[in-house]
Amino acid sequence: MSSPHTDITTHKKLLRQKQIRLGLLICVVLFITALWRITQGEWQIPLSRVFELLSPFISPSEAMTPEAIVVRSVRLPRFLAAAAAGGVLAMGGVVLQGLLSNPLAEPYTLGIAAGAAFGGALGFLFNSTMVTPMAFLGAIAALWMVNTIAHCGDGGSSAYLVLAGIITNAVLSAGVTFLKAIADDRLAAIVLWLMGSFSGASSTTALITWSSAVILAVPALIYGRQLDAVSLGEGQGSMLGINERRLRMILLYAASLATALIVSSFGIIGFVGLVIPHLLRTVIGPAHRPLIIFSFLAGGALLALADGLAQSMGELPVGVLTALIGGPFFCWILITRKGMGGRA
């Protein structure tokens, strides 16, 4: 008969093997997606030619050819932006679900994305340079609204935070509709931005997106072990000496800033943070550090694939596709749960 220690060691070994296989699979999918996104389009460019154009040793004259401009300045930044945005949204879902011990939590369902959208739309009415700072302020305001409503309802429990997020999402979405109604000549720009699209991605927005990934990934990985304890239920972290209030403050603000940067650049793209963490958690377990890394990779692959599909369908907004996928998935999670206060 095997001892408990042997069983634990065997389980860890099998889990590590599973994680390695899954990681390799996701990386392969991400690499193939990158090749597809860079080579395919209205102008198909052979793969061998793409590698030549992406070489750091390309001559200045060659870098100014139409092919090089399309690959280096249009397709590559768009792929990098979509991959990083998907990774950020997925990591945001992991962090929020861990903090609130609720698998329904993510930047979209908690109203953070809607807050960023409201702030960004308000920024459009003043000046386009105000979109990003106003989006961040909107995300913070949405967090404040969620916390206030939840504390009035049930002392701020995780279940009420999600419900408060849904209420906040509805209110701020109505606010965005009001801003669109008074936008006049800026209406088209606001509507196109809110739909969620990477058609305007550039090297600058790709850099901003990857910066947002660092802003969220660093504290999320640093506090990964504390997230493990907090995700066990409210008060569990305090029993282990963890300052839950401080942890929530740091990670919620990091998730809000990262989400605001994504929304201000590409509009609302929902449900990536709901679908990816939930699926991965069933495969690799609840430990947050590996879950954060795997979610970043899988979220990036999913959104890059969705963006490619959206572009092949005539530049359909990618936010529409993620909503079509995530909406039914959200309903499925809600129906199969045994209670709104269940463990993540």
Side-chain angles (χ1 to χ4, degrees), residues 133-151:
M134 290 297 291
F136 176 63
L137 291 176
I140 298 302
L143 264 181
W144 177 82
M145 288 178 63
V146 169
N147 278 305
T148 301
I149 295 172
H151 277 83

Side-chain angles (χ1 to χ4, degrees), residues 44-316:
Q44 295 190 11
I45 302 175
L47 185 58
S48 58
R49 180 60 175 157
V50 167
F51 286 130
E52 292 177 7
L53 296 174
L54 292 177
S55 171
F57 306 108
I58 187 173
S59 65
S61 59
E62 186 75 3
M64 294 304 296
T65 61
E67 282 183 321
I69 293 173
V70 167
V71 170
R72 298 168 70 97
S73 301
V74 179
R75 293 184 182 176
L76 181 61
R78 179 166 181 165
F79 166 75
L80 291 175
V88 168
L89 295 173
M91 285 194 299
V94 172
V95 169
L96 294 174
Q97 289 166 19
L99 284 175
L100 304 179
S101 303
N102 197 312
L104 298 179
E106 64 123 353
Y108 187 80
T109 57
L110 279 183
I112 296 175
F118 179 80
L122 197 60
F124 264 107
L125 298 184
F126 294 105
N127 191 303
S128 59
T129 59
M130 294 293 294
V131 173
T132 298
M134 290 297 291
F136 176 63
L137 291 176
I140 298 302
L143 264 181
W144 177 82
M145 288 178 63
V146 169
N147 278 305
T148 301
I149 295 172
H151 277 83
C152 290
D154 191 33
S157 70
S158 62
Y160 267 75
L161 278 169
V162 174
L163 292 175
I166 294 173
I167 295 171
T168 302
N169 199 353
V171 172
L172 291 174
S173 295
V176 170
T177 301
F178 172 74
L179 292 178
K180 289 191 292 184
I182 63 174
D184 296 329
D185 57 330
R186 295 184 179 90
L187 176 61
I190 294 176
V191 171
L192 182 63
W193 167 68
L194 286 173
M195 286 181 179
S197 174
F198 294 98
S199 59
S202 63
S203 299
T204 301
T205 54
L207 180 61
I208 291 173
T209 309
W210 280 91
S211 299
S212 69
V214 174
I215 289 171
L216 180 55
V218 171
L221 291 173
I222 290 175
Y223 294 105
R225 292 291 179 86
Q226 296 188 26
L227 263 178
D228 291 342
V230 172
S231 66
L232 296 176
E234 294 183 27
Q236 295 299 314
S238 299
M239 294 175 61
L240 298 174
I242 297 172
N243 187 335
E244 291 192 18
R245 182 181 178 84
R246 178 173 173 272
L247 180 66
R248 282 193 179 191
M249 183 73 67
I250 293 173
L251 294 182
L252 282 176
Y253 276 93
S256 298
L257 176 56
T259 301
L261 290 172
I262 299 299
V263 172
S264 64
S265 298
F266 308 112
I268 297 180
I269 302 170
F271 294 110
V272 176
L274 179 72
V275 174
I276 294 298
H278 187 80
L279 292 177
L280 289 178
R281 193 178 287 108
T282 61
V283 177
I284 66 173
H288 280 85
R289 282 180 177 169
L291 190 58
I292 288 166
I293 296 171
F294 279 89
S295 292
F296 178 78
L297 295 173
L302 173 66
L303 197 52
L305 281 169
D307 179 51
L309 181 59
Q311 186 180 23
S312 66
M313 297 171 67
E315 286 295 354
L316 183 72

